[in-house]
Amino acid sequence: MPSYTLYSYFRSSASWRVRIGLALKGLPYRYRPVHLLRDGGEQFSDAYRALNPMSELPCLVVHGDADPEGPPEAVLAQSIAILEYLDEVHPSPPLLPSSAADRARVRQLVESVNSSIQPLQNLKVLKHLHAAFGADKDATQAWGRHWIAQGFGGLEALLARTAGRHAFGDSVTLADVVLVPQVFNARRFGVELAPFPTIQRVEAAAMALPAFQAATPDHQPDHEG
């Protein structure tokens, strides 16, 4: 079986998704912290760029069976690509439904967060707003709060159609994996969550599970109190 090294930052929501996926699959891994703020961001170092030229987290290094300390079998970036890889290589428990239509509906929920919400409140966007337009912390917080709340309005309506105990029916899927870190981000930006009861309920159901609890920022070795 492959072994894994995960390059992560405790508060990176994309890294958090992969930590949840690894925990759900029961897969051990080495943790390599990459601090997104220290010294201008360790993700821009030559050593890290050699792994991921996009200078983004997470990055999963796949080591082969024969020599887990040798050259990597694969170096994977982009959290959704990593999670789908893990689901194909370690199919139990599955993170996507069995039918094509249902898989597409789960991916719709995933991309509602991954493409429509999270990028607009990402660190590099907020840093550019400050550097290029002089936006102070209050302004960048308001920016993030606006886009998360707007996205949550649509996501709440989608979840009202699909949710059972979890985001899509009664089993955990990739939709739950991306939702939980995004709700954490919403709280960090001061989003009022009362208008989004389904989002809150689905998050609470996921957070009752040990795998989701183990992946939270405060359980990571690089957590800063």
Side-chain angles (χ1 to χ4, degrees), residues 4 26 30 72 121 145 166 191:
Y4 301 109
R30 302 171 188 84
Q121 47 97 112
R145 190 161 53 247
H166 296 292
V191 174

Side-chain angles (χ1 to χ4, degrees), residues 45-223:
S45 69
D46 291 343
Y48 187 72
R49 279 156 104 67
L51 289 172
N52 183 5
M54 292 296 290
S55 296
E56 296 173 343
L57 290 174
C59 185
L60 186 74
V61 177
V62 182
H63 308 276
D65 299 343
D67 184 8
E69 301 300 329
E73 191 174 274
V75 179
L76 306 174
Q78 297 297 335
S79 62
I80 305 307
I82 294 170
L83 287 162
E84 293 217 16
Y85 162 84
L86 292 173
D87 208 36
E88 291 178 17
V89 175
H90 308 280
S92 181
L95 297 179
L96 287 167
S98 57
S99 82
D102 286 349
R103 287 196 299 274
R105 293 167 73 198
V106 169
R107 288 183 173 116
Q108 178 183 4
L109 296 170
V110 167
E111 290 306 321
S112 297
V113 173
N114 186 55
S115 298
S116 297
I117 301 174
Q118 193 268 345
L120 288 166
Q121 47 97 112
N122 205 11
L123 176 63
K124 65 182 179 182
V125 172
L126 303 184
K127 288 174 71 174
H128 184 69
L129 287 171
H130 172 71
F133 304 105
D136 62 12
K137 184 174 181 180
D138 287 344
T140 57
Q141 285 286 110
W143 166 278
R145 190 161 53 247
H146 168 79
W147 291 113
I148 296 170
Q150 184 178 93
F152 271 19
L155 183 60
E156 176 73 17
L158 289 172
L159 287 171
R161 303 173 188 172
T162 64
R165 175 170 176 77
H166 296 292
F168 191 85
D170 293 325
S171 298
V172 170
T173 66
L174 285 182
D176 302 283
V177 172
V178 301
L179 176 69
V180 164
Q182 187 56 59
V183 176
F184 176 88
N185 286 342
R187 293 192 176 102
R188 284 185 63 222
F189 279 94
V191 174
E192 173 54 58
L193 293 178
F196 313 117
T198 313
I199 289 175
Q200 292 188 81
R201 178 177 63 76
V202 167
E203 184 225 11
M207 285 306 301
L209 302 175
F212 283 82
Q213 296 167 14
T216 58
D218 56 316
H219 285 101
Q220 306 318 306
D222 59 333
H223 175 254

Side-chain angles (χ1 to χ4, degrees), residues 34-54:
V34 178
H35 201 293
L36 294 181
L37 300 172
R38 185 181 297 137
D39 299 326
E42 293 176 351
Q43 70 273 28
F44 300 113
S45 69
D46 291 343
Y48 187 72
R49 279 156 104 67
L51 289 172
N52 183 5
M54 292 296 290

